[in-house]
Amino acid sequence: MVNATFIIDPVTGIPSTVLGTDAAAAEDPSQYMADTHCRADGPDTKDPGCDALECPATEANTEAGTPVIWKEAPKAITNPGWTDWIPVTGPTCLYDPQPENVLANIAARILNDFQQLPINPGTLQAQPFPHTLKGAPTNFYTTASEQDFNVSILGQAVHLTATPANYTYAFGDGTTLGPTPAAGYSIPETEWLNTQTRTSHSYTETGNYQATLTTSFTGTYSVNNGPPLPINGTLNLTTPAENIQVWKTERALVADTCQENPNSWGCPGADPK
């Protein structure tokens, strides 16, 4: 029987046995094993799903995979027995004769693969838009969301999840907000220009400003339906710029309404002064 045992370092995503990590506080408290005999619980209880599972070669001139069940045990238990291991997946295919090697190789490159994913950065929204007023709070928020991807890495099925972690707002006038975990939110139109949110900004001068948002995504990955592991690193994506036009307000006394006199001062049909 070939058992592949490995301990995942949550900081690096690489098995700590490969790295020789000494900092116990930085390590995952669990260890994982791909049981190539697909035993569900103990040495004599084979999962019947393993007999029905076929693992054909995924590419030409490659070998078929091996049915396995991923199991977990506390790292504090040295050489745990079968009663200590807990299944964390059902039968799944593993396409490598030495699981610990392919997992270490995937861990070593996972950040680069994560940063190549077509992650949608979302959009930057402003209220009001595209015009706002000098000195009034303009509410900003984002539509960035969690995204999932299924890819093949070194012949293994890998599931990745990208999650927005924090945001940096650049308002175009030289001021920024963040990094902050606040994604912002939409507010009713009746609250525009008079409600200050955590992600609002007040422009002090009129003009046109190019506002952007940079979202920092963190990620996790799992190999062949194994346990999710953290990716050591982030991906920063910036939205296309939104043109914010900041106007000023003026006040005047008028004798009639726009219904009574469409050419009255401040009415849509009035000649500009």
Side-chain angles (χ1 to χ4, degrees):
M1 178 181 69
V2 178
N3 290 332
T5 304
F6 54 97
I7 302 171
I8 301 298
D9 185 330
V11 176
T12 64
I14 300 175
S16 60
T17 51
V18 174
L19 294 179
T21 302
D22 294 326
E27 295 180 356
D28 189 322
S30 299
Q31 55 183 322
Y32 305 95
M33 175 186 66
D35 179 11
T36 55
H37 285 191
C38 273
R39 287 171 289 200
D41 185 18
D44 301 319
T45 55
K46 184 176 182 179
D47 191 309
C50 293
D51 292 329
L53 181 63
E54 296 183 0
C55 298
T58 57
E59 299 177 3
N61 301 319
T62 60
E63 296 183 0
T66 302
V68 300
I69 288 179
W70 286 101
K71 295 187 175 183
E72 177 183 17
K75 179 192 167 188
I77 301 178
T78 303
N79 298 321
W82 287 108
T83 56
D84 299 314
W85 291 102
I86 301 174
V88 291
T89 70
T92 186
C93 294
L94 188 67
Y95 289 90
D96 194 281
Q98 293 181 300
E100 74 280 5
N101 292 339
V102 72
L103 287 169
N105 293 337
I106 290 175
R109 58 173 280 179
I110 194 63
L111 177 60
N112 180 70
D113 287 77
F114 175 67
Q115 293 176 336
Q116 303 306 313
L117 293 173
I119 297 172
N120 184 347
T123 59
L124 176 63
Q125 304 288 322
Q127 295 174 312
F129 179 84
H131 312 115
T132 189
L133 294 180
K134 171 185 173 182
T138 302
N139 181 47
F140 288 89
Y141 64 97
T142 178
T143 62
S145 61
E146 183 175 282
Q147 298 161 62
D148 294 292
F149 301 89
N150 292 305
V151 299
S152 178
I153 302 177
L154 301 179
Q156 310 302 310
V158 180
H159 180 80
L160 298 104
T161 298
T163 303
N166 55 62
Y167 312 89
T168 300
Y169 298 81
F171 301 111
D173 61 351
T175 61
T176 60
L177 171 65
T180 172
Y185 52 87
S186 175
I187 59 177
E189 185 172 355
T190 55
E191 298 181 15
W192 295 0
L193 300 175
N194 57 33
T195 299
Q196 184 79 32
T197 68
R198 290 180 61 188
T199 53
S200 290
H201 177 65
S202 296
Y203 290 92
T204 59
E205 300 293 338
T206 60
N208 293 332
Y209 299 95
Q210 301 296 306
T212 61
L213 172 73
T214 299
T215 301
S216 180
F217 287 85
T218 59
T220 61
Y221 73 103
S222 61
V223 181
N224 297 320
N225 296 318
L229 307 171
I231 296 174
N232 179 35
T234 59
L235 174 61
N236 297 324
L237 296 176
T238 301
T239 63
E242 296 290 352
N243 185 43
I244 308 296
Q245 301 176 31
V246 180
W247 294 354
K248 65 179 180 179
T249 58
E250 294 182 355
R251 295 183 179 181
L253 293 175
V254 295
D256 43 26
T257 67
C258 292
Q259 287 83 4
E260 296 169 336
N261 182 8
N263 293 317
S264 180
W265 184 92
C267 295
D271 294 330
K273 302 297 184 180

